[in-house]
């Protein structure tokens, strides 16, 4: 028997307004194609990435209430009984360069979490304007990683629980760096992918500081389990595979997802992830012209039941064309 999931994430046709009015178990409403600086309510999270294809969807997170909302420094949050969603949007025209801004965002996030009843981030999403601008170690993604490592007070060598993460580029003219997260009172179960080198062990060639995230975390609560996937791309070992071949990159990303889910089954011993209608996928696409090919590839290789949307976004390595992120339900076997 499957129990009700603690995080109920879904895509819904329409606009955010109705979800924010008087619904007592709505933790967050994500709207695509709008600057994060336009947030009108602590639970309203505009994301600068444009949705490709139709119909136009919002993403709604629901959990057990009552839900308390508030502001803490530059962070806005919604806190349910067992889960918290928080988001930060920093106007880069005011906060300085990307390293400084990333450090500031993670300082705020960390200071907020330290005093929250839900201290453990399970997954963090990072949307970075012009992520591939600059060359070599000056690339904005690498500057972002430096700022994150400056702020985060953990040594991955100690094997602390790490959150899952997604880092995607928003349009270069978007003014805000956006970071949002899901947190709980206990850490998630970290899952690494046997097909991939752990990101925190990436060799020097990818930048001066490695990204700090796990390939996925399992949220266990109320007898139900959910898999929070990190952004998953066509990376095997630590190398990009299928350069300039978007359909093959999507297939490789899916193989990584399946491999990670299998590892989750091995670690829990009794819970298997399923790409079904209780979960959702987000597919990031660098070149909007690739939408049809990506859509056909995904339709052929992943169950039709799992809801998905396509977002225009740059991937953190210039040679990656697509990436998959999502929430997947798990069932006891
Ligand atoms: C990769 O596999 C792709 O810096 O937080 C994926 C997910 C990636 C999260 C991050 C980066 C991040 O290395 C890049």
């Amino acid at each position: 028997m499957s129990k009700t999931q603690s995080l109920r994430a879904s895509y819904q046709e329409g606009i955010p307004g109705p979800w924010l009015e008087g619904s007592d178990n709505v933790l967050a409403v994500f709207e695509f194609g709008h600057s994060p600086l336009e947030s009108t309510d602590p639970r309203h999270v505009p994301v600068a990435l444009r949705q490709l294809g139709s119909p136009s969807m919002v993403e709604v997170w629901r959990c057990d209430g009552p839900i308390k909302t508030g502001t803490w420094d530059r962070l806005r949050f919604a806190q349910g009984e067992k889960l918290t969603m928080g988001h930060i949007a920093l106007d880069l025209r005011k906060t300085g360069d990307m390293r400084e801004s990333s450090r500031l965002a993670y300082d705020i996030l960390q200071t907020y979490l330290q005093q929250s009843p839900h201290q453990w981030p399970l997954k963090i999403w990072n949307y970075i304007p012009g992520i591939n601008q600059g060359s070599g170690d000056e690339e904005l993604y690498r500057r972002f990683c430096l700022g994150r490592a400056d702020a985060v007070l953990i040594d991955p060598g100690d094997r602390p629980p790490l959150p899952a993460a997604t880092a995607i580029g928003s349009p270069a003219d978007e003014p805000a760096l956006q970071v949002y997260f899901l947190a709980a009172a206990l850490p998630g179960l970290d899952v690494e992918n046997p097909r991939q080198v752990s990101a925190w062990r990436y060799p020097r060639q990818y930048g001066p500081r490695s990204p700090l995230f796990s390939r996925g975390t399992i949220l266990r609560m109320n007898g139900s389990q959910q898999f929070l996937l990190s952004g998953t791309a066509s990376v095997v070992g630590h190398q990009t595979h299928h350069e300039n071949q978007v359909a093959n990159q999507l297939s490789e990303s899916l193989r990584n997802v399946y491999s990670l889910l299998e590892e989750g089954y091995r670690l829990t011993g009794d819970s298997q992830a399923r790409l079904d209608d209780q979960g959702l996928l987000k597919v990031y696409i660098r070149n909007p012209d690739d939408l049809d090919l990506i859509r056909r590839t995904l339709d052929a290789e992943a169950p039709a039941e799992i809801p998905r949307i396509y977002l225009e976004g740059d991937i953190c390595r210039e040679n990656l064309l697509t990436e998959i992120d999502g929430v997947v339900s798990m069932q006891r076997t």
Side-chain angles (χ1 to χ4, degrees), residues 106 124 126 128 141 144-145 148 164-168 196-197 199 202 210-215 230-235 238 315-317 320 323:
Y106 274 83
I124 306 178
N126 305 280
I128 303 163
Y141 173 61
F144 167 84
C145 287
R148 175 170 55 184
T166 290
I168 290 289
Q196 300 184 294
V197 171
Y202 277 172
S210 295
L212 291 166
F213 66 94
S214 65
R215 296 292 178 187
S230 279
T232 304
S234 181
V235 171
H238 56 74
I315 322 305
C316 65
R317 290 184 195 176
L320 289 171
E323 187 166 298

Side-chain angles (χ1 to χ4, degrees), residues 155-162 190 192 198 200-201:
D155 177 353
D158 296 340
R159 297 301 191 96
L162 287 174
D190 289 25
E192 289 299 310
S198 293
W200 53 270
R201 286 184 156 140

